[in-house]
């Protein structure tokens, strides 16, 4: 059971890295007596740095992660968190907090090593199990940090400043624990036998994924022939980079010429962009609805959101449902619900309504992004999970950076106007998937008519 041991070791790291109780009250901490920053400084000068850094470093981090074989980037992930939560309590000026947010963006991009390390260490038959383990560990760490933050703040055991030291301690433990993770002897692209010689078995499996796309099969076969005919001396750096590029490009093209991959990747990227914007700025919105002297329940909200999300994510993996046929209508309905929640949030000054809206919004996002991930995974080769997932997240961050630049740093909208824009964003997303739903319905109607006219058994299609 070596794979289970590796999974447990990685999950311990994941649990500690997501145990960040200070994050539940970070905005109140920065605008409170400890730092005395204004809400505008936090909104327009400090928080956007994480978005830009995360976007700029993600793809580069993925390639470096594969090249230096995962473990060093996992260690870097822990160290970036340590630096972030060391600078936050020590910083007194905006520049220091911006530097801390830069390192937090680096921490978030380095998380790619946490989510892909396991694929390089265990056999593919265990992929589904270990993937659920790592996601569950992160959600558990997040839920525990929320409840600890709420209890310690409610009973005045710790103040918001002291919560930073709990987070810092968790990151120190996570970094120390990462040192004991087994090193990776090979990787998917730069240190893999498949980069030296793409086997016929892999070609056949990739072709099977898209049996209806004959032109793509020809493309992959022709690329294989060119790679084999132009090989340089094995073992050299140039040889590894050339063949890694060939495999990267082949996996990329095979994935993004599949309609289902494009459709679910678009949902993944667009919904993730909106979610990250809402998650980043929600605490600033909540501040406008809290009356002086009221108890703040941000930690309890984080706990409820993580637990509800975990239950829904687990359930959606067990309930049989035809996502190919009915996925588009479900996406449009959920996008409309999310847009409605954000529209209500932009006008409401009832803190309990804002809390409830955030919990439901987050649970919907995690449920549907899980659906998107396993629907995409069904249509791509096993070795390309890290690449395709990374590209989808990068597209989400690229769009988030553009939205942040326009809405937050250029137009300089206030927090409620920002949420009105976010609401419009999800309403537009709902309209897109309503159109796709109509197209899907018409397509299935044509197939049904064809079956009826020609007397073909529907199972043959």
């Amino acid at each position: 059971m070596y794979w289970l041991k590796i999974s447990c070791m990685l999950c311990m790291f994941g649990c500690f890295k997501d145990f960040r109780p200070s994050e539940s009250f970070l905005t109140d901490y920065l605008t409170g007596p400890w730092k005395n920053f204004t809400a505008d400084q936090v909104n327009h000068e400090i928080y956007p740095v994480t978005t830009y850094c995360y976007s700029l470093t993600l793809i580069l981090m993925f390639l470096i992660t594969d090249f230096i074989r995962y473990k060093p980037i996992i260690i870097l992930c822990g160290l970036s968190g340590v630096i972030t939560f060391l600078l936050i309590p020590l910083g007194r000026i905006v520049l220091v907090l911006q530097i801390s947010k830069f390192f937090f963006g680096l921490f978030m991009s380095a998380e790619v090593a946490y989510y892909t390390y396991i694929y390089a260490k265990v056999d593919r038959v265990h992929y589904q199990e270990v993937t659920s383990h790592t996601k569950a560990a992160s959600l558990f760490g997040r839920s525990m940090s929320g409840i600890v933050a709420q209890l310690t703040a409610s009973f005045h055991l710790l103040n918001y400043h002291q919560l930073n030291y709990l987070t810092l301690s968790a990151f120190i433990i996570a970094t120390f624990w990462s040192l004991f993770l087994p090193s990776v002897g090979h990787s998917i692209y730069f240190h893999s036998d498949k980069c030296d010689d793409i086997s016929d078995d892999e070609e056949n499996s990739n072709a099977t994924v898209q049996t209806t796309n004959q032109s793509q099969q020809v493309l992959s076969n022709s690329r294989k022939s060119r790679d084999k005919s132009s090989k340089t001396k094995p073992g050299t750096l140039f040889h590894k980079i050339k063949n890694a590029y060939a495999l990267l490009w082949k996996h990329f093209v095979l994935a993004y010429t599949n309609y289902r991959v494009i459709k679910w990747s678009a949902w993944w990227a667009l919904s993730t962009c909106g979610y990250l914007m809402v998650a980043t700025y929600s605490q600033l919105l909540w501040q406008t609805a809290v009356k002086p002297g009221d108890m703040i329940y941000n930690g309890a909200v984080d706990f409820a959101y993580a637990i509800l999300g975990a239950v829904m994510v687990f359930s959606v993996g067990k309930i049989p449902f035809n996502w190919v046929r009915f996925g588009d209508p479900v996406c449009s309905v959920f996008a409309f619900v999310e847009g409605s929640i954000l529209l209500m949030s932009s006008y409401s000054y009832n803190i309990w309504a804002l809390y409830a809206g955030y919990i439901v919004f987050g649970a919907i996002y995690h449920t549907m992004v899980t659906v998107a991930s396993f629907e995409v995974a069904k249509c791509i080769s096993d070795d390309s999970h890290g690449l395709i997932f990374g590209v989808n997240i990068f597209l989400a961050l690229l769009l988030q950076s553009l939205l942040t630049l326009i809405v937050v740093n250029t137009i300089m909208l206030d927090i409620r106007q920002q949420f009105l824009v976010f609401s419009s964003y999800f309403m537009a997303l709902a309209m897109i998937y309503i159109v796709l739903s109509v197209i899907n319905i018409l397509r299935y109607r044509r197939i049904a008519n064809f079956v009826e006219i020609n007397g073909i058994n529907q199972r043959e299609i």
Side-chain angles (χ1 to χ4, degrees), residues 435-451:
V435 173
L436 291 178
S437 300
V438 173
I439 294 173
N440 208 24
I441 291 170
L442 294 176
R443 174 176 171 268
Y444 272 96
R445 183 170 295 178
R446 285 199 305 270
I447 292 175
N449 291 336
F450 179 80
V451 169

Side-chain angles (χ1 to χ4, degrees), residues 104-145:
F104 191 66
L106 185 62
F107 155 76
M108 294 177 72
S109 64
E111 282 186 309
V112 69
Y114 169 73
Y115 289 109
T116 55
Y117 166 92
I118 202 70
Y119 298 129
K121 287 299 292 182
V122 305
D123 191 87
R124 70 179 60 185
V125 298
H126 301 299
Y127 278 3
Q128 182 174 345
E129 291 175 274
V130 296
T131 300
S132 65
H133 292 171
T134 52
K135 288 185 177 181
S138 293
L139 283 171
F140 179 77
R142 191 175 302 178
S143 63
M144 288 300 100
S145 71

Side-chain angles (χ1 to χ4, degrees), residues 97 175 203 234 247 261 279 336 373 407:
L97 269 297
T175 305
E203 289 294 320
L247 189 57
V261 172
F336 180 78
S373 65
V407 174

Side-chain angles (χ1 to χ4, degrees), residues 32 40 52 73 77-79 119 141 148 161 189 193 235 242 256 258 292 362 380 416 443 448:
D40 282 341
Y52 298 138
I73 301 300
C77 181
L79 287 174
Y119 298 129
V148 167
H161 179 74
Y189 294 108
D193 292 338
K242 182 180 77 70
Y256 291 107
N258 184 306
I380 61 178
R416 291 191 172 270
R443 174 176 171 268

